[in-house]
Amino acid sequence: MATVSQRLCANIRCLFTQTKSITGRAARDQVRKAKALIELNLARDIKGNKKSFYRYVSDKRKTRENVGPLWNDTGDLATQDMEKAEVLKDFFASVFTGKCSSHTTQVTEGKGRDWESEEPLAVGEDQVRDRLNNLKVHKPMGPDEMHQQVLRELADEVARPLSTIFEKSWQPGEVPTD
């Protein structure tokens, strides 16, 4: 007896061969319908076939939990979870503070650039205004829940405050408080 995953793969392969001429949205819709049909059948047959239902659920629950070993600043290999967390914290902190970690130094040396000798990043009002005027209004809202059309229409009014926020967050390496 085929498992649920095998049946789903077989259905998707069958749909793929039937829809070679169909591209994009129509193909995705057919795959979604096939998956929904399998899930509906699983829910309907749960009383008689619990094993296949729980196998499908356990297949969906499997996630990758581990991060591989990482090199720290001293060149040692970090294998313990806390060591890896420290390496990642140091790396991401270096991005926001403008300090180069050994990893970014190695990368910039390879390209012949030295970030420490360059001027601090300056975000001008004109740059912000240009970015706001070029926003794609058909994209969904971001985490600020502000629609792109609103930002685009208010570009002249919000360019100065946004550039000030960017400048003040870049200098100390922190986002300013309200």
Side-chain angles (χ1 to χ4, degrees):
M1 181 175 196
T3 66
V4 176
S5 297
Q6 290 170 340
R7 284 188 285 163
L8 183 60
C9 288
N11 283 348
I12 291 172
R13 273 189 297 249
C14 179
L15 284 172
F16 179 73
T17 57
Q18 292 173 358
T19 60
K20 283 186 179 176
S21 62
I22 299 174
T23 59
R25 182 171 295 224
R28 282 192 305 271
D29 288 344
Q30 286 188 353
V31 169
R32 287 183 188 128
K33 285 178 186 176
K35 185 177 177 183
L37 182 64
I38 293 257
E39 290 174 350
L40 183 65
N41 289 338
L42 281 171
R44 187 189 66 223
D45 298 336
I46 190 169
K47 289 186 180 180
N49 193 1
K50 293 179 182 178
K51 185 176 180 179
S52 64
F53 172 77
Y54 286 109
R55 180 177 291 142
Y56 182 76
V57 170
S58 69
D59 284 346
K60 293 295 176 189
R61 291 181 57 199
K62 289 182 182 174
T63 59
R64 183 176 176 183
E65 297 176 4
N66 296 331
V67 174
L70 301 170
W71 295 103
N72 61 16
D73 288 337
T74 61
D76 298 328
L77 196 62
T79 56
Q80 300 297 319
D81 288 341
M82 290 303 291
E83 293 172 342
K84 291 188 264 185
E86 285 294 321
V87 170
L88 291 172
K89 178 188 72 101
D90 292 340
F91 176 74
F92 289 115
S94 71
V95 172
F96 292 107
T97 59
K99 297 176 186 170
C100 289
S101 69
S102 64
H103 174 71
T104 54
T105 304
Q106 292 169 0
V107 171
T108 57
E109 286 172 0
K111 293 183 179 178
R113 304 224 12 190
D114 184 15
W115 294 104
E116 304 235 350
S117 65
E118 289 189 15
E119 298 268 333
L121 179 67
V123 180
E125 187 178 335
D126 293 333
Q127 291 174 309
V128 174
R129 185 178 298 111
D130 290 343
R131 291 288 183 160
L132 289 173
N133 285 327
N134 291 322
L135 285 174
K136 297 178 181 176
V137 295
H138 300 293
K139 297 275 184 171
M141 292 185 279
D144 58 0
E145 296 182 7
M146 181 75 63
H147 198 279
Q148 279 78 354
Q149 183 67 35
V150 174
L151 288 171
R152 192 179 206 184
E153 290 178 10
L154 296 174
D156 293 330
E157 287 79 15
V158 298
R160 169 170 267 143
L162 284 177
S163 66
T164 304
I165 290 170
F166 293 146
E167 287 286 333
K168 289 190 179 206
S169 66
W170 181 256
Q171 292 165 358
E174 298 175 352
V175 177
T177 58
D178 289 337

